[in-house]
Amino acid sequence: QVQLVESGGGLVQAGGSLRLSCVASGRTFGNYAMAWFRQGPGKEREFVAAINYNGGSTNYADSVKGRFAVSRDNSKNTVNLQMNSLKPEDTAVYYCAAGPYSTRRGESDYDYWGQGTQVTVSS
């Protein structure tokens, strides 16, 4: 079992930055690929970014490529999402997820989910 807790959300103006963190419980964090998904108001949940078990491979949605960066620190059981040049359309609840496969984009590829953290970008 892996429990995930996100933090770092908040209100930011367009063009600003936020850094989300997700801390995982359990001793097998380093075995899992980690991903970030988001769900905007009235929208389906969508893939944002993923990182493989050792940080050697990443995958990004086209909408965030070049603005967001995912990283992990296995010694701290933590995965981060650095979000720069934020846009109002980035407003969403952001979820951290853990799964056994490398940087896949599907929700069904991830077994464990956090509760989410709200990010609001004002124009």
Side-chain angles (χ1 to χ4, degrees):
Q1 286 284 343
V2 177
Q3 292 185 325
L4 304 172
V5 179
E6 303 96 335
S7 63
L11 174 64
V12 63
Q13 288 189 330
S17 298
L18 279 175
R19 184 178 177 86
L20 305 183
S21 293
C22 172
V23 179
S25 65
R27 294 176 290 178
T28 59
F29 175 76
N31 292 344
Y32 289 93
M34 301 297 297
W36 290 93
F37 288 77
R38 68 185 182 187
Q39 186 167 18
K43 298 180 180 180
E44 299 282 326
R45 189 155 59 182
E46 63 176 359
F47 170 80
V48 175
I51 188 166
N52 77 331
Y53 75 101
N54 67 358
S57 177
T58 57
N59 191 4
Y60 295 95
D62 288 345
S63 59
V64 306
K65 200 171 293 183
R67 300 189 297 123
F68 290 11
V70 61
S71 62
R72 66 189 297 159
D73 184 342
N74 287 350
S75 69
K76 297 180 180 179
N77 281 15
T78 299
V79 60
N80 300 305
L81 185 67
Q82 178 67 43
M83 305 186 296
N84 300 325
S85 302
L86 283 161
K87 305 175 182 180
E89 51 264 43
D90 294 317
T91 294
V93 177
Y94 283 71
Y95 298 90
C96 171
Y101 305 111
S102 176
T103 66
R104 292 188 181 182
R105 297 186 173 210
E107 290 187 49
S108 62
D109 295 317
Y110 296 89
D111 300 322
Y112 303 103
W113 293 81
Q115 294 295 313
T117 185
Q118 176 70 47
V119 171
T120 303
V121 184
S122 63
S123 57

